[in-house]
Amino acid sequence: MNQEKRLEGKVALVTGGARGIGKAICERLAAEGAALAIVDIMLETAQETVDGFVAQGVNAAAFAANVAKMTDAETTIKNVLDKFGKIDILINNAGITRDTLLMRMSEEDWDAVLAVNLKGTFNFIKAACRPMMKTRSGKIVNIASVVGRMGNAGQANYSASKAGVIGLTKTTAKEFATRNIQVNAVAPGYIQTEMTGKLSEAATAAFLQVIPMKRAGTPEDVAAVVYFLCSSDSDYVTGQVINIDGGMLM
């Protein structure tokens, strides 16, 4: 018996979709039938990921953009509309870290993280909302973080940016609700990625100590919740922030 692909005919744009959590989200959405617009600051990186999807029969295309630039966001949305004709799903996943204690943090490190993580999310929501409003349909999922809710020493810029994403999520959810556009966020905790793989054994042990489930999450754990928020099962869910953290923050 053929399993129904519940996102068949949908077009999903994923920023930072070439690697890590973003790629896992792309894999899950593609498995459910969605076409993919994969955005990365490096076109070559995005194209390599797209080539892998195309080889599996997925309708996918790569787009280069610096999410921190509004002109890049506007151009990308236009190019995606030219390629696919519509945008049903927007996943704001692109993000960076520049970790250090606040007393040592440079203005440049503060500005860079806020520009990509928060302003980049704003840019793509603003650029994509009009096409969604015209069709009176859309799903927007922003990737926040548990540190945006609880803080974390050495991550003043990152935690502030993700707290901003949470506030932006709630506000845009209220603004877009009557247009049938649901806006939600997920807040991953300690997830096994290339970034967390660089942590010391002591740092990893410290994280696991405060996670009731005593294990790290996987990018696929995040992708599963994002898929729910992109599916019709979440049509009455908006303005929410769902922790994906093994119980670390309750």
Side-chain angles (χ1 to χ4, degrees), residues 160-183:
S161 73
K162 294 303 187 178
V165 166
I166 289 170
L168 178 62
T169 297
K170 292 177 178 292
T171 297
T172 50
K174 289 183 176 182
E175 292 184 3
F176 300 161
T178 59
R179 300 301 183 96
N180 193 34
I181 300 169
Q182 291 84 53
V183 189

Side-chain angles (χ1 to χ4, degrees), residues 8 13 22 29 33 39 55 65 67 78 82 86 104 115 117-118 123 134 143-144 157 174 179 185 192 214 220 230 244:
E8 196 78 55
L13 188 161
L29 299 185
V39 178
V67 299
K78 179 183 182 301
D82 287 345
K86 61 175 182 169
R104 298 173 186 154
N117 298 4
L118 181 54
N123 287 343
K134 286 181 180 179
I143 310 302
N157 48 7
K174 289 183 176 182
R179 300 301 183 96
Q192 290 174 331
K214 300 302 179 189
E220 289 72 27
C230 294
I244 309 171

Side-chain angles (χ1 to χ4, degrees), residues 141-239:
V141 183
N142 301 321
I143 310 302
S145 170
V146 292
V147 304
R149 309 186 93 171
M150 62 184 281
N152 192 37
Q155 290 194 304
N157 48 7
Y158 187 76
S159 58
S161 73
K162 294 303 187 178
V165 166
I166 289 170
L168 178 62
T169 297
K170 292 177 178 292
T171 297
T172 50
K174 289 183 176 182
E175 292 184 3
F176 300 161
T178 59
R179 300 301 183 96
N180 193 34
I181 300 169
Q182 291 84 53
V183 189
N184 293 286
V186 297
Y190 183 70
I191 307 296
Q192 290 174 331
T193 62
E194 183 179 338
M195 184 171 66
T196 57
K198 296 176 182 177
L199 294 174
S200 67
E201 288 186 15
T204 299
F207 270 114
L208 296 178
Q209 186 65 32
V210 297
I211 299 173
M213 292 182 70
K214 300 302 179 189
R215 71 169 180 87
T218 67
E220 289 72 27
D221 290 326
V222 179
V225 180
V226 171
Y227 161 64
F228 161 72
L229 293 172
C230 294
S231 75
S232 59
D233 286 345
S234 66
D235 283 353
Y236 200 56
V237 178
T238 197

Side-chain angles (χ1 to χ4, degrees), residues 1-8 31-32 227:
M1 185 174 68
N2 291 330
Q3 185 177 2
E4 178 189 7
K5 292 187 176 183
R6 300 189 61 197
L7 298 181
E8 196 78 55
E32 298 294 340
Y227 161 64

Side-chain angles (χ1 to χ4, degrees), residues 9 41 55 59 81 83 85 87 121 129 142 150 156 204 230 234 248:
I41 194 167
N59 184 10
L81 290 172
K83 168 69 176 176
I87 299 171
T121 300
C129 69
N142 301 321
M150 62 184 281
T204 299
C230 294
S234 66
M248 181 166 66

Side-chain angles (χ1 to χ4, degrees), residues 50-66:
V50 163
D51 289 344
F53 280 114
V54 171
Q56 299 170 44
V58 177
N59 184 10
F63 302 87
N66 178 351

